[in-house]
Amino acid sequence: MTQPPRPQDDMPRCVEELRAALALHGIALPSLALDLPTFAGTYTPPAGLVSLGNCNAATARALAAVLRQAAP
């Protein structure tokens, strides 16, 4: 039986998938990373957080436009 991925193993993949998806729309969040201190916390279910970081107004507007376009 295959075990589900552990959060600490799956989170880097999650960050890279998000980075790649944003790049398809010409969007880069330079501070996109894992929030490492959350791996030391006790969350249910256990998982780390993705730090989206800061971005300039142009990037925020581009991200908002993509999200609006993708909405039903």
Side-chain angles (χ1 to χ4, degrees):
M1 180 184 290
T2 304
Q3 295 291 324
R6 300 179 314 161
Q8 60 269 35
D9 297 333
D10 192 48
M11 291 302 294
R13 186 174 329 133
C14 177
V15 170
E16 290 310 313
E17 288 174 2
L18 179 56
R19 182 175 283 121
L22 289 167
L24 290 173
H25 298 279
I27 298 172
L29 296 177
S31 302
L32 181 64
L34 293 175
D35 183 50
L36 295 178
T38 60
F39 284 102
T42 55
Y43 297 93
T44 304
L49 297 176
V50 174
S51 176
L52 299 177
N54 299 319
C55 66
N56 61 29
T59 301
R61 287 188 180 104
L63 184 54
V66 168
L67 291 172
R68 277 193 303 275
Q69 187 176 33

